[in-house]
Amino acid sequence: MNRCTRCILPETFPGIHFDEEGVCQYCRRTPDPEQREAQRARLRAKFEKLAGDVRSQPGYHCLVAWSGGKDSTYTLWLLKEQYGLRVLAFTFDNGFVSPQALKNMRTVAENLNVDHAIVKPSFDVLREVFVASMRPGMYPAKALERASGICNTCMAIAKGIGLRIALEKGIPILAYGWSPGQIPLASAFIRFNSRMLRAMVDTAIAPLEAVVNTRIIEYFPEQHQLADVKVLPYNISPLAFLDYDEETTLHRISALAWERPQDTDPNSTNCLLNSFANLIHVEQMGYHPYVMELASLVREGYMDRQEALKRLGIAPVPEVVAAVEAKLGVPISDK
Ligand SMILES: [Zn+2]
Protein backbone atom coordinates (compact mmCIF):
# COMPACT_ATOMS: atom_id res chain seq x y z
CA MET A 1 0.00 0.00 0.00
CA ASN A 2 1.16 3.52 -0.86
CA ARG A 3 1.77 5.70 2.19
CA CYS A 4 2.94 9.24 2.79
CA THR A 5 6.74 9.13 2.91
CA ARG A 6 6.83 11.40 5.95
CA CYS A 7 3.91 10.29 8.18
CA ILE A 8 2.09 7.00 7.56
CA LEU A 9 -1.26 8.02 6.05
CA PRO A 10 -2.26 5.50 3.37
CA GLU A 11 -3.67 6.10 -0.10
CA THR A 12 -7.00 4.72 1.18
CA PHE A 13 -7.42 7.63 3.62
CA PRO A 14 -10.33 9.91 2.58
CA GLY A 15 -9.27 12.90 0.46
CA ILE A 16 -5.54 12.16 0.73
CA HIS A 17 -3.16 13.28 -1.99
CA PHE A 18 0.59 13.06 -2.23
CA ASP A 19 2.91 15.57 -3.90
CA GLU A 20 5.83 14.66 -6.18
CA GLU A 21 7.91 13.73 -3.12
CA GLY A 22 5.16 11.44 -1.88
CA VAL A 23 4.31 13.75 1.04
CA CYS A 24 0.65 14.18 2.06
CA GLN A 25 -1.17 17.48 2.46
CA TYR A 26 -1.38 17.06 6.27
CA CYS A 27 2.41 16.95 6.51
CA ARG A 28 2.78 19.94 4.18
CA ARG A 29 0.35 21.95 6.27
CA THR A 30 1.88 21.15 9.62
CA PRO A 31 3.41 24.12 11.47
CA ASP A 32 7.16 23.96 12.13
CA PRO A 33 8.34 22.73 15.55
CA GLU A 34 9.16 26.24 16.85
CA GLN A 35 5.65 27.49 16.07
CA ARG A 36 4.10 24.48 17.74
CA GLU A 37 6.30 24.81 20.81
CA ALA A 38 5.33 28.50 21.11
CA GLN A 39 1.67 27.52 20.95
CA ARG A 40 2.19 24.84 23.60
CA ALA A 41 3.97 27.33 25.85
CA ARG A 42 1.04 29.77 25.51
CA LEU A 43 -1.40 27.02 26.52
CA ARG A 44 0.79 26.00 29.48
CA ALA A 45 0.79 29.59 30.75
CA LYS A 46 -2.98 29.87 30.31
CA PHE A 47 -3.52 26.61 32.15
CA GLU A 48 -1.25 27.62 35.04
CA LYS A 49 -3.22 30.81 35.43
CA LEU A 50 -6.54 28.94 35.34
CA ALA A 51 -5.35 26.36 37.90
CA GLY A 52 -4.21 29.20 40.16
CA ASP A 53 -7.58 30.93 39.82
CA VAL A 54 -9.67 27.86 40.71
CA ARG A 55 -7.41 26.52 43.48
CA SER A 56 -8.88 28.82 46.13
CA GLN A 57 -12.47 27.94 45.25
CA PRO A 58 -14.59 25.56 47.36
CA GLY A 59 -15.81 22.23 45.92
CA TYR A 60 -14.17 20.27 43.13
CA HIS A 61 -11.77 22.19 40.90
CA CYS A 62 -11.57 19.65 38.18
CA LEU A 63 -13.53 16.71 36.77
CA VAL A 64 -11.32 14.14 35.02
CA ALA A 65 -12.71 11.76 32.40
CA TRP A 66 -10.94 8.59 33.53
CA SER A 67 -10.99 5.53 31.30
CA GLY A 68 -8.47 3.72 33.48
CA GLY A 69 -6.01 3.69 30.55
CA LYS A 70 -2.47 4.96 30.95
CA ASP A 71 -2.94 8.50 29.62
CA SER A 72 -6.03 9.42 31.64
CA THR A 73 -4.47 7.85 34.74
CA TYR A 74 -1.39 10.01 34.24
CA THR A 75 -3.61 13.07 33.69
CA LEU A 76 -5.33 12.36 37.00
CA TRP A 77 -1.97 12.18 38.80
CA LEU A 78 -0.80 15.38 37.11
CA LEU A 79 -3.82 17.45 38.08
CA LYS A 80 -3.97 16.17 41.64
CA GLU A 81 -0.27 16.07 42.50
CA GLN A 82 1.47 18.56 40.21
CA TYR A 83 -1.25 21.18 40.09
CA GLY A 84 -2.72 20.58 43.54
CA LEU A 85 -6.32 20.58 42.29
CA ARG A 86 -9.25 18.98 44.13
CA VAL A 87 -10.24 16.37 41.61
CA LEU A 88 -13.29 14.23 40.97
CA ALA A 89 -12.67 11.36 38.56
CA PHE A 90 -15.52 9.77 36.64
CA THR A 91 -15.55 6.65 34.51
CA PHE A 92 -18.04 5.60 31.87
CA ASP A 93 -18.13 1.79 32.10
CA ASN A 94 -19.20 0.64 28.65
CA GLY A 95 -19.50 -3.00 29.73
CA PHE A 96 -16.13 -3.83 28.15
CA VAL A 97 -13.67 -2.30 30.60
CA SER A 98 -10.91 -4.84 31.19
CA PRO A 99 -11.00 -6.39 34.69
CA GLN A 100 -7.38 -5.30 35.17
CA ALA A 101 -8.34 -1.71 34.25
CA LEU A 102 -11.13 -1.78 36.88
CA LYS A 103 -8.67 -3.11 39.44
CA ASN A 104 -6.16 -0.41 38.45
CA MET A 105 -8.77 2.29 38.98
CA ARG A 106 -9.71 1.04 42.42
CA THR A 107 -6.06 0.94 43.50
CA VAL A 108 -5.01 4.23 41.91
CA ALA A 109 -8.03 6.13 43.28
CA GLU A 110 -7.10 4.94 46.77
CA ASN A 111 -3.39 5.65 46.35
CA LEU A 112 -4.07 9.12 44.95
CA ASN A 113 -6.83 9.73 47.46
CA VAL A 114 -9.34 11.06 44.92
CA ASP A 115 -13.12 10.71 44.69
CA HIS A 116 -14.21 8.41 41.87
CA ALA A 117 -17.67 7.92 40.34
CA ILE A 118 -18.39 5.09 37.92
CA VAL A 119 -21.40 5.41 35.61
CA LYS A 120 -22.47 2.11 34.10
CA PRO A 121 -25.61 2.27 31.95
CA SER A 122 -27.71 -0.88 31.70
CA PHE A 123 -26.20 -3.18 29.12
CA ASP A 124 -29.28 -3.55 26.91
CA VAL A 125 -29.06 0.17 26.03
CA LEU A 126 -25.32 -0.12 25.37
CA ARG A 127 -25.70 -3.24 23.25
CA GLU A 128 -28.28 -1.59 21.02
CA VAL A 129 -26.21 1.54 20.45
CA PHE A 130 -22.98 -0.40 19.86
CA VAL A 131 -24.58 -2.76 17.36
CA ALA A 132 -26.08 0.24 15.55
CA SER A 133 -22.66 1.95 15.56
CA MET A 134 -21.23 -0.94 13.55
CA ARG A 135 -23.51 -0.06 10.64
CA PRO A 136 -22.22 2.45 8.09
CA GLY A 137 -24.14 5.72 8.13
CA MET A 138 -24.56 6.20 11.87
CA TYR A 139 -21.85 8.90 11.81
CA PRO A 140 -20.68 11.30 9.09
CA ALA A 141 -17.54 10.21 7.21
CA LYS A 142 -15.52 13.05 8.79
CA ALA A 143 -16.19 11.70 12.31
CA LEU A 144 -14.89 8.29 11.24
CA GLU A 145 -11.50 9.60 10.10
CA ARG A 146 -10.18 9.62 13.67
CA ALA A 147 -12.22 6.91 15.41
CA SER A 148 -14.44 3.94 14.67
CA GLY A 149 -18.23 4.20 14.89
CA ILE A 150 -18.18 2.31 18.18
CA CYS A 151 -15.50 4.66 19.59
CA ASN A 152 -17.57 7.66 18.44
CA THR A 153 -20.53 6.30 20.41
CA CYS A 154 -18.43 5.68 23.52
CA MET A 155 -16.85 9.14 23.38
CA ALA A 156 -20.25 10.80 22.90
CA ILE A 157 -21.69 9.08 25.99
CA ALA A 158 -18.56 9.68 28.10
CA LYS A 159 -18.54 13.38 27.18
CA GLY A 160 -22.27 13.62 27.89
CA ILE A 161 -21.83 12.10 31.36
CA GLY A 162 -18.86 14.39 32.08
CA LEU A 163 -20.66 17.52 31.03
CA ARG A 164 -23.74 16.58 33.04
CA ILE A 165 -21.68 16.05 36.21
CA ALA A 166 -19.67 19.24 35.63
CA LEU A 167 -22.83 21.33 35.17
CA GLU A 168 -24.64 19.68 38.11
CA LYS A 169 -21.76 20.32 40.48
CA GLY A 170 -20.51 23.60 38.98
CA ILE A 171 -17.00 22.21 38.34
CA PRO A 172 -14.91 24.78 36.43
CA ILE A 173 -12.52 22.40 34.62
CA LEU A 174 -13.38 19.27 32.63
CA ALA A 175 -10.15 17.44 31.84
CA TYR A 176 -9.40 14.69 29.33
CA GLY A 177 -6.40 12.43 28.92
CA TRP A 178 -6.06 12.94 25.14
CA SER A 179 -2.41 12.67 24.23
CA PRO A 180 -0.70 14.62 21.44
CA GLY A 181 -1.96 13.12 18.18
CA GLN A 182 -5.40 12.42 19.58
CA ILE A 183 -6.39 16.07 19.73
CA PRO A 184 -5.28 19.14 17.77
CA LEU A 185 -3.56 21.77 19.92
CA ALA A 186 -6.27 24.25 18.99
CA SER A 187 -8.83 22.08 20.84
CA ALA A 188 -6.71 21.35 23.92
CA PHE A 189 -7.84 24.40 25.89
CA ILE A 190 -11.35 25.50 25.05
CA ARG A 191 -14.40 26.98 26.72
CA PHE A 192 -17.67 26.65 24.86
CA ASN A 193 -20.51 29.09 25.43
CA SER A 194 -23.87 27.67 26.42
CA ARG A 195 -25.30 27.96 22.90
CA MET A 196 -22.41 25.87 21.56
CA LEU A 197 -22.81 23.36 24.40
CA ARG A 198 -26.48 22.93 23.54
CA ALA A 199 -25.67 22.38 19.88
CA MET A 200 -22.95 19.86 20.73
CA VAL A 201 -25.20 17.89 23.06
CA ASP A 202 -27.99 17.85 20.44
CA THR A 203 -25.57 16.59 17.79
CA ALA A 204 -24.23 13.88 20.12
CA ILE A 205 -27.65 12.64 21.24
CA ALA A 206 -29.40 12.57 17.85
CA PRO A 207 -27.85 9.38 16.38
CA LEU A 208 -28.18 7.57 19.73
CA GLU A 209 -31.77 8.66 20.26
CA ALA A 210 -32.61 7.34 16.81
CA VAL A 211 -31.63 3.89 18.13
CA VAL A 212 -32.82 3.78 21.75
CA ASN A 213 -35.15 6.80 21.97
CA THR A 214 -35.20 8.55 25.33
CA ARG A 215 -33.37 5.73 27.12
CA ILE A 216 -30.11 7.56 26.42
CA ILE A 217 -30.98 11.02 27.73
CA GLU A 218 -30.11 10.20 31.36
CA TYR A 219 -26.45 10.26 30.38
CA PHE A 220 -26.51 13.77 28.94
CA PRO A 221 -27.16 17.19 30.49
CA GLU A 222 -30.82 18.05 30.80
CA GLN A 223 -32.30 20.92 28.81
CA HIS A 224 -32.80 23.09 31.90
CA GLN A 225 -29.12 22.65 32.87
CA LEU A 226 -28.06 23.77 29.42
CA ALA A 227 -30.50 26.67 29.40
CA ASP A 228 -29.17 28.08 32.67
CA VAL A 229 -25.45 27.34 33.00
CA LYS A 230 -23.99 28.67 36.27
CA VAL A 231 -20.36 27.67 35.68
CA LEU A 232 -19.19 27.19 32.10
CA PRO A 233 -16.48 24.52 32.26
CA TYR A 234 -13.16 24.77 30.44
CA ASN A 235 -12.36 21.67 28.38
CA ILE A 236 -8.72 20.87 28.92
CA SER A 237 -6.44 18.17 27.51
CA PRO A 238 -3.23 18.83 29.45
CA LEU A 239 -1.11 16.11 27.82
CA ALA A 240 -1.37 17.93 24.49
CA PHE A 241 0.54 20.97 25.78
CA LEU A 242 2.53 19.67 28.77
CA ASP A 243 5.60 17.51 28.23
CA TYR A 244 4.43 14.09 27.18
CA ASP A 245 6.29 10.88 26.67
CA GLU A 246 5.06 7.37 27.08
CA GLU A 247 7.98 6.21 29.22
CA THR A 248 7.54 8.92 31.87
CA THR A 249 3.80 8.27 31.88
CA LEU A 250 4.23 4.55 32.52
CA HIS A 251 6.93 5.16 35.13
CA ARG A 252 4.75 7.61 37.04
CA ILE A 253 1.58 5.51 37.07
CA SER A 254 3.46 2.30 37.93
CA ALA A 255 4.42 4.07 41.16
CA LEU A 256 0.65 4.26 41.85
CA ALA A 257 0.46 0.46 41.38
CA TRP A 258 -1.11 0.74 37.88
CA GLU A 259 -0.46 -2.47 35.91
CA ARG A 260 -0.73 -2.90 32.15
CA PRO A 261 -3.70 -5.16 31.34
CA GLN A 262 -2.73 -8.30 29.44
CA ASP A 263 -6.24 -8.87 28.07
CA THR A 264 -6.51 -5.78 25.81
CA ASP A 265 -4.66 -5.22 22.55
CA PRO A 266 -1.51 -3.07 22.90
CA ASN A 267 -3.25 -0.04 21.33
CA SER A 268 -5.60 0.24 24.31
CA THR A 269 -4.86 -0.09 28.00
CA ASN A 270 -8.43 -0.34 29.21
CA CYS A 271 -11.02 -1.40 26.63
CA LEU A 272 -11.84 -4.92 25.42
CA LEU A 273 -14.18 -3.59 22.73
CA ASN A 274 -11.36 -1.73 21.01
CA SER A 275 -9.90 -4.41 18.73
CA PHE A 276 -13.36 -5.51 17.58
CA ALA A 277 -14.27 -1.87 16.80
CA ASN A 278 -11.01 -1.45 14.85
CA LEU A 279 -11.61 -4.61 12.87
CA ILE A 280 -15.08 -3.50 11.74
CA HIS A 281 -13.73 -0.06 10.82
CA VAL A 282 -10.88 -1.44 8.69
CA GLU A 283 -13.31 -3.75 6.86
CA GLN A 284 -15.79 -0.96 6.10
CA MET A 285 -13.51 2.04 5.53
CA GLY A 286 -10.31 0.48 4.22
CA TYR A 287 -8.02 2.23 6.71
CA HIS A 288 -7.25 1.81 10.40
CA PRO A 289 -9.16 4.16 12.75
CA TYR A 290 -5.91 4.94 14.60
CA VAL A 291 -3.91 5.83 11.50
CA MET A 292 -4.59 9.58 11.79
CA GLU A 293 -3.52 9.62 15.44
CA LEU A 294 -0.36 7.61 14.78
CA ALA A 295 0.44 9.75 11.71
CA SER A 296 0.18 12.92 13.86
CA LEU A 297 2.55 11.40 16.44
CA VAL A 298 5.09 10.66 13.70
CA ARG A 299 4.67 14.10 12.14
CA GLU A 300 5.19 15.86 15.47
CA GLY A 301 8.18 13.76 16.45
CA TYR A 302 6.59 11.78 19.31
CA MET A 303 6.97 8.41 17.60
CA ASP A 304 9.12 7.03 14.81
CA ARG A 305 7.59 5.77 11.60
CA GLN A 306 8.61 2.15 12.18
CA GLU A 307 6.95 2.02 15.60
CA ALA A 308 3.74 3.56 14.21
CA LEU A 309 3.60 0.98 11.40
CA LYS A 310 4.21 -1.76 13.92
CA ARG A 311 1.24 -0.61 16.04
CA LEU A 312 -0.99 -0.48 12.95
CA GLY A 313 -0.05 -4.04 12.18
CA ILE A 314 -1.04 -5.45 15.58
CA ALA A 315 -3.55 -8.20 14.94
CA PRO A 316 -6.64 -8.39 17.16
CA VAL A 317 -6.67 -11.23 19.69
CA PRO A 318 -9.24 -13.72 18.31
CA GLU A 319 -10.55 -14.75 21.76
CA VAL A 320 -11.18 -11.12 22.75
CA VAL A 321 -13.02 -10.46 19.48
CA ALA A 322 -15.10 -13.63 19.89
CA ALA A 323 -16.05 -12.66 23.46
CA VAL A 324 -17.18 -9.23 22.25
CA GLU A 325 -19.26 -10.78 19.45
CA ALA A 326 -20.90 -13.13 21.93
CA LYS A 327 -21.68 -10.35 24.40
CA LEU A 328 -23.10 -8.07 21.70
CA GLY A 329 -25.02 -10.95 20.16
CA VAL A 330 -23.67 -10.36 16.65
CA PRO A 331 -22.80 -13.23 14.30
CA ILE A 332 -19.40 -14.72 15.12
CA SER A 333 -16.92 -13.80 12.40
CA ASP A 334 -14.35 -16.24 11.06
CA LYS A 335 -11.33 -14.05 11.90
ZN1 LIG B 1 1.96 12.72 5.69
Side-chain angles (χ1 to χ4, degrees), residues 3-9 16-18 22-28 295 299:
R3 290 184 187 276
C4 171
T5 51
R6 199 166 290 176
C7 70
I8 55 165
L9 285 179
I16 193 100
H17 46 83
F18 304 116
V23 176
C24 78
Q25 73 267 35
Y26 296 94
C27 285
R28 286 291 176 212
R299 205 176 291 132

Coordinates of all heavy atoms in Angstrom, one line a residue, residues 3-9 16-18 22-28 295 299, ligand 1:
R3 N 2.0 4.8 1.0 CA 1.8 5.7 2.2 C 2.6 7.0 2.0 O 3.6 7.0 1.3 CB 2.3 5.0 3.4 CG 1.4 3.8 3.9 CD 2.0 3.2 5.2 NE 1.2 2.0 5.5 CZ 0.1 1.9 6.1 NH1 -0.5 3.1 6.5 NH2 -0.5 0.8 6.3
C4 N 2.2 8.0 2.7 CA 2.9 9.2 2.8 C 4.4 8.9 3.2 O 4.6 8.1 4.2 CB 2.3 10.2 3.8 SG 3.3 11.7 4.1
T5 N 5.4 9.5 2.6 CA 6.7 9.1 2.9 C 7.2 9.8 4.2 O 8.2 9.4 4.7 CB 7.7 9.6 1.8 OG1 7.4 10.9 1.5 CG2 7.5 8.7 0.5
R6 N 6.4 10.7 4.7 CA 6.8 11.4 6.0 C 6.0 10.8 7.2 O 6.6 10.3 8.1 CB 6.6 12.9 5.8 CG 7.4 13.7 6.8 CD 7.4 15.2 6.5 NE 8.2 15.5 5.3 CZ 8.4 16.7 4.8 NH1 7.7 17.7 5.3 NH2 9.1 16.9 3.8
C7 N 4.7 10.9 7.1 CA 3.9 10.3 8.2 C 3.5 8.9 7.6 O 4.3 8.3 6.9 CB 2.7 11.1 8.5 SG 1.4 11.2 7.3
I8 N 2.4 8.4 8.0 CA 2.1 7.0 7.6 C 0.7 6.9 6.9 O 0.2 5.8 6.7 CB 2.1 6.0 8.7 CG1 1.2 6.4 9.9 CG2 3.6 5.8 9.2 CD1 0.9 5.3 10.9
L9 N 0.1 8.1 6.6 CA -1.3 8.0 6.1 C -1.3 7.2 4.7 O -0.4 7.5 3.9 CB -1.8 9.4 5.9 CG -2.3 10.2 7.1 CD1 -2.8 11.6 6.8 CD2 -3.3 9.4 7.9
I16 N -7.0 12.0 0.6 CA -5.5 12.2 0.7 C -5.0 12.4 -0.7 O -5.5 11.8 -1.7 CB -4.9 10.9 1.4 CG1 -3.4 11.1 1.7 CG2 -4.9 9.7 0.4 CD1 -3.2 11.4 3.2
H17 N -4.0 13.3 -0.8 CA -3.2 13.3 -2.0 C -1.7 13.5 -1.6 O -1.4 14.1 -0.6 CB -3.7 14.3 -3.0 CG -4.0 15.6 -2.4 ND1 -3.1 16.6 -2.3 CD2 -5.2 16.1 -2.0 CE1 -3.7 17.7 -1.7 NE2 -4.9 17.4 -1.5
F18 N -0.9 13.0 -2.5 CA 0.6 13.1 -2.2 C 1.2 14.0 -3.3 O 0.8 13.9 -4.5 CB 1.2 11.7 -2.3 CG 0.6 10.7 -1.4 CD1 -0.1 9.5 -1.8 CD2 0.7 10.8 0.0 CE1 -0.7 8.6 -1.0 CE2 0.1 9.9 0.9 CZ -0.6 8.8 0.4
G22 N 5.9 12.5 -2.6 CA 5.2 11.4 -1.9 C 4.7 11.9 -0.5 O 4.4 11.1 0.4
V23 N 4.7 13.2 -0.3 CA 4.3 13.8 1.0 C 2.9 14.2 1.0 O 2.4 14.8 0.0 CB 5.2 14.9 1.4 CG1 4.8 15.6 2.7 CG2 6.7 14.5 1.5
C24 N 2.1 13.9 2.1 CA 0.7 14.2 2.1 C 0.4 15.6 2.4 O 1.3 16.3 3.0 CB -0.1 13.2 3.0 SG 0.1 13.7 4.8
Q25 N -0.8 16.1 2.2 CA -1.2 17.5 2.5 C -1.2 17.8 4.0 O -0.9 18.9 4.3 CB -2.5 17.9 1.8 CG -3.8 17.3 2.5 CD -4.2 16.0 1.9 OE1 -3.4 15.2 1.5 NE2 -5.5 15.8 1.8
Y26 N -1.4 16.8 4.8 CA -1.4 17.1 6.3 C 0.0 17.4 6.7 O 0.3 18.3 7.6 CB -1.9 15.8 7.0 CG -3.4 15.6 6.7 CD1 -3.7 14.6 5.8 CD2 -4.4 16.2 7.4 CE1 -5.0 14.4 5.5 CE2 -5.7 16.0 7.2 CZ -6.0 15.0 6.2 OH -7.4 14.8 5.9
C27 N 1.0 16.7 6.2 CA 2.4 16.9 6.5 C 2.8 18.3 6.0 O 3.6 19.0 6.7 CB 3.3 15.9 5.9 SG 3.2 14.3 6.9
R28 N 2.4 18.7 4.8 CA 2.8 19.9 4.2 C 2.2 21.1 5.0 O 2.8 22.2 5.1 CB 2.3 20.0 2.7 CG 3.1 19.2 1.8 CD 4.5 19.7 1.6 NE 5.2 18.8 0.7 CZ 6.6 18.7 0.8 NH1 7.3 19.3 1.7 NH2 7.2 17.8 0.0
A295 N -0.2 8.9 12.7 CA 0.4 9.8 11.7 C 0.8 11.1 12.4 O 1.9 11.6 12.1 CB -0.5 10.0 10.5
R299 N 4.5 12.8 12.7 CA 4.7 14.1 12.1 C 5.2 15.1 13.2 O 6.1 15.9 12.9 CB 3.3 14.6 11.7 CG 3.3 15.6 10.6 CD 1.9 16.0 10.2 NE 1.3 14.9 9.5 CZ 0.0 14.4 9.7 NH1 -0.7 14.9 10.7 NH2 -0.5 13.4 9.0
Ligands
ZN1 ZN 2.0 12.7 5.7

